[in-house]
Amino acid sequence: MTSAVLPKKASVVIVGGGIAGCSVAYHLSKLGYRDILLLERKRLASGTTWHAAGLLAQLRSNRTQTKLAKYSLDLYEQLEKETGQATGFKRNGTILLAKSNARWIELKRRFSASKFFGLDCELVDTDTIKHIWDLLVTDDLKGGLYVPSDGQIDPTGVTLALAKGARNSGALIIENIRVNGFELNNNLISAVETDKGTVACEIVINCGGMWAREVGRMAGANIPVQAVEHMYIVTEPITGLHPELPSLRDYDGLTYFKEDAGKLVMGGTEKIARPWPVKRIPSNFEFTLLDEDWGQFEDLVTSATKRIPALENAGVRQFINGPESFTPDGEYLLGTSLEVENFFVCAGFNSTGICVSGGAGMALAQWIVEGAPTVDISSVNVRRFHTFQSTNHYLQSRVREIASRAFCMHWPHLQPETARGIRRSAIHLELVKRNACFGEAAGWERPNWFAPKGVEPRYRYSYGRQNWFYYSAEEHKAVRERVGLIDMSSFSKFKIEGKNAINLLQLLCTKNIDVPINSLLYTLMLNPRGGIECDITIARTGTREFVIYCGAGAFNHVFCWIRSHIKPKWSVSINDITSSEGVIAVMGPKSRKLISKLTHANLSNEAFPFMTCQNIEVSHTVCRASRISFVGELGWELNIPTEFMGIVYEQLLEAGKEFNIQDVGYHALDSLRMERGYRHYGHDISAWDTPLEAGLNFAVDLNKNDDYIGRTTIQKQLGRLTRHMVIFSLEDPDLLFYSQEPVFRDGEMVGEITSASYGHTVGCAVGLGYIHNEGGITNDFIENGNFEIEIEAKRAKSKASLLAPYDPYKKRVKM
């Protein structure tokens, strides 16, 4: 299509003709979208797509991503028949190998999760693996996980098939055309500028692959993608290889294998991956490979020959070293950019683009047609990242680790080691002195646990009780029995003010926001489906002024959701005040006595009721004290001007010696909130869960005079719930669970755990999860069922309840 004439306008312009761009074009055209234009700088598939290994593995990190990967395989299976373009598709399966005990546990956990994901998998022993793959050394293996419906494909072939399908449905594809920039008008792209002219448009989709960050910058959008070298070899034919052999992933050996016309393809993840290029991708990059580097690849070859000895004497037909794009967390990018409303992204696939692009293209196309996502894309939403995460220094540091971690253990609470210390609270150095072990959230360094003197504050990972377990238990106990301090400065804070501030919040919030000044409200913001887009706390600080609090990871989503609903003629502003205020949570039954030593304010129930806030003097400053709790105990969150954080923290510690005060980390915070059944956005509640399903009826006012988004849907759900969140407590006090474990009732799978932690007060692991029953979820259904949670392929008995196991009637927070 090189000779095609560039049109003057198009409804949608797709930038990039790799497998992602062609998938988006294919699905938009199939959905009846017309006037679609795809622009490719060189030829289709000539960037990253063509040199991909072509492995199709469906088991992903969560249910939605697995569903989209499954869709990809189903699509690819019929594409050749539809278009006549050869794709090389076959379903030969995948076997994931486990050498270490820890890896075997991980595979068993993934096997259990796959049941709820709807993917058929089998745990197989070494004899079975050896029977299937005779060339394999299996003596040192514990077992494997077999996914029979996985497969492999020719990446270029499937890309050309998608392109042909798109053209057949009316899409226009032009190759050898360069996008040079965009025209913007009122935060919207109005035209695409190319080296062959300008095209007016309504929507632009960035499918630029490793160029996606560069394309984003042309539009003023930050897209955190960095290319990383990926190497594999293709051998000469090896006796014993045949087309039906499943692909192999030897995670402990950091290698993968697939049969290819009697030859063996072998690659893996290097221990130290290399970003490429350091500065800028060459403009003439097309069907290009990087230099061979046997020194970098040597360790993988050594590992591979131990697993398949026949590889040692096989000739190498080709050494492939090609760049592939990675993101800071190893998940891809989908959705509308933070900065430009009609600028969509489908990129950053972290060496999985061939497998997931079919589903990702479908999901994005449906989003554009319907005006909102049709599946839960929260884990891959491009808006999860912040501007600083698109900088060269940050990306090149972080992606070295992310690319290398692809086959490493995915431990519970695993923390990144690179690009750390980016965002720090004002008392960070004091917490370092007090032996805090930090975790990361949205770039923030947060104390997850505190090590005693003489103990190194460093994680020792496992699927059992990790090295911090008992230290965190003491922090938990301090909050329940005495008083603890939690640095919660990372929480996002917005100020909304103006004549129409109340109108905006009444439109969005499920609670009546027109409350007395100094009131606190926990409320939700819903989408038209009734799903929870945001869960927030609002402080009314003036007649026309409100402060909103939400989690660190929800910053961009909440900000954009509110901003998108401000009507043009409204007088209202929204401003980020996160950095101007630090937060110290003072929590526990002795918190009132402690704060009273540093203030003259009356903190009694009568003068300072629960769910209210006041400006009070604490130490040498005035702060906004909010009587609220995410731990289920009496307490206050002190919002302190940043420059006064240090002195307030020091004086709280000094005054708290009388009560045996303790620093408290986020692991303890999690165990405390779990005992009280407090939901966490992003784990327990999302845009696909309604308040009634989530058990958050108290946060919804159906009698509110002002209408709000989602209200009608919620009203229709009353009395008809077939899905509901339940709190589970394991009967065996030694067992742990984390998330994604399937839930069984009387032997039938009915749901999945969304988050869990150990409840040190109640003496067992506690988790939240949704269960489903077409006949309805009632107390009877819960109380008369025998519930089990599948953990590492074994089922464990569990109690199920709608009430929290600790202080179910919320008496402690109102002491």
Side-chain angles (χ1 to χ4, degrees), residues 2 47 64 81 113 168 174 291 322 425 443 522 579 597 622 632 645 692 736 805 808:
T2 305
T64 298
K81 182 179 179 181
N168 291 343
I174 302 179
D291 293 338
S425 83
Y522 173 74
S579 298
K597 295 178 70 174
V622 175
M645 276 277 285
L692 304 188
L736 296 177

Side-chain angles (χ1 to χ4, degrees), residues 281-337:
I281 301 170
S283 60
N284 61 349
F285 198 90
E286 177 187 14
F287 293 116
T288 306
L289 293 177
L290 309 179
D291 293 338
E292 297 181 6
D293 190 338
W294 287 98
Q296 175 81 344
F297 199 62
E298 183 178 7
D299 287 347
L300 294 181
V301 174
T302 301
S303 174
T305 53
K306 289 179 181 178
R307 185 60 60 209
I308 302 180
L311 182 63
E312 188 169 6
N313 298 317
V316 176
R317 176 169 290 191
Q318 191 175 15
F319 186 112
I320 306 290
N321 183 9
E324 299 184 358
S325 58
F326 278 77
T327 65
D329 63 0
E331 303 289 3
Y332 56 91
L333 306 174
L334 205 66
T336 51
S337 73

